[in-house]
Amino acid sequence: MTLPLFAVYGASGYGREVMPLAREQLRHQGISAEQLVFVDDHSEVQMMNGQRVLRYAEFLQAEASARHAVLAIANSAIREKLAARCAENRVLPWTVAAANVVMLDDAVLGEGAVLSPFAMLTSNIRIGRYFHANIYSYVAHDCVIGDFVTFAPGVKCNGNVLIEDHAYIGTGAVIKQGKPGHPLVIGRGAVVGMGAVVTRDVPAGATVVGNPAKPFIKG
Ligand code: UDP
């Protein structure tokens, strides 16, 4: 009998953190770890942390009734490129969430997400495709998050915040809450530096750092 194959795409730092979550998720579904592989376009090794490592072409050639992949690469532009490639080859988007993730009422998550251990999505939240919430990150009530948004570890995103596509929020950043009907907005492709305290809107494409967060000027 031909079985489905599951992949963690990206066999570097984040991929190695996502793999055990993926393995555990499949175990709960009664799916063998033998049906789980790393996929990486550049890896030189054939095994990593007990799992096979395949090139993408090998993954497509492997016998499988269906192929699923979670994109475990923090760079959102790469995620978008790989999502398009997977869609072309009928590789299905796969969401992997740690067993201890907490989601409260009406938290809607798009396809292909990764929710790392201790991530929390509270109530009345909308999140787009291919979101990453790294360890200990939270999204509070009434937030709206676009596609390919990345939270590094320990991001505190308070209520009524709007985050547009491809924004990257660095480790330990704190985002002040907005108001109902008047969210604090982090624009498309903006970067919030690690430890920043964001108290006002961040324009699209801007990088902000510090407390209170201000535009980063290279010096
Ligand atoms: N990668 C890939 N195909 C691509 C781009 C990246 O397979 O088109 C792999 C790359 O070989 C590396 C991983 O994705 O193993 C990205 O690793 P990196 O350390 O840059 O990111 P992180 O794991 O920190 O998100």
Side-chain angles (χ1 to χ4, degrees):
M1 191 175 65
T2 312
L3 297 170
L5 197 54
F6 295 83
V8 173
Y9 203 146
S12 187
Y14 197 48
R16 283 181 286 112
E17 293 184 344
V18 172
M19 179 55 83
L21 311 178
R23 197 187 295 127
E24 183 63 8
Q25 186 169 300
L26 291 181
R27 196 178 66 79
H28 273 275
Q29 296 172 262
I31 298 172
S32 162
E34 286 178 18
Q35 291 169 245
L36 177 61
V37 298
F38 281 111
V39 170
D40 199 287
D41 297 313
H42 309 292
S43 177
E44 300 296 328
V45 300
Q46 291 183 338
M47 291 292 291
M48 190 177 286
N49 291 357
Q51 305 292 153
R52 283 186 295 154
V53 184
L54 303 181
R55 298 293 173 110
Y56 184 65
E58 293 172 321
F59 176 58
L60 294 184
Q61 281 157 15
E63 206 179 316
S65 57
R67 292 177 185 78
H68 307 255
V70 62
L71 306 180
I73 297 171
N75 182 306
S76 70
I78 296 178
R79 285 213 298 287
E80 185 167 34
K81 178 187 86 173
L82 297 182
R85 175 189 291 176
C86 286
E88 268 172 36
N89 300 123
R90 294 194 199 158
V91 175
L92 301 168
W94 184 31
T95 291
V96 169
N100 69 358
V101 162
V102 174
M103 289 172 74
L104 301 180
D105 281 338
D106 189 32
V108 179
L109 183 63
E111 65 190 15
V114 183
L115 303 179
S116 285
F118 303 98
M120 181 161 183
L121 313 177
T122 72
S123 297
N124 307 100
I125 289 166
R126 296 288 175 273
I127 298 178
R129 301 158 63 233
Y130 297 93
F131 177 60
H132 278 189
N134 211 316
I135 49 175
Y136 293 104
S137 286
Y138 71 72
V139 180
H141 64 88
D142 300 303
C143 286
V144 176
I145 294 182
D147 297 333
F148 300 100
V149 169
T150 310
F151 280 16
V155 169
K156 295 174 166 61
C157 179
N158 292 304
N160 287 299
V161 169
L162 167 62
I163 303 184
E164 294 177 351
D165 300 349
H166 287 283
Y168 178 90
I169 317 298
T171 299
V174 180
I175 306 171
K176 187 183 178 183
Q177 68 189 51
K179 294 192 174 71
H182 189 67
L184 185 150
V185 179
I186 299 191
R188 184 186 166 90
V191 174
V192 174
M194 65 168 72
V197 178
V198 178
T199 57
R200 51 173 67 185
D201 291 357
V202 177
T207 296
V208 297
V209 295
N211 177 10
K214 300 219 165 86
F216 175 67
I217 298 154
K218 275 191 187 155

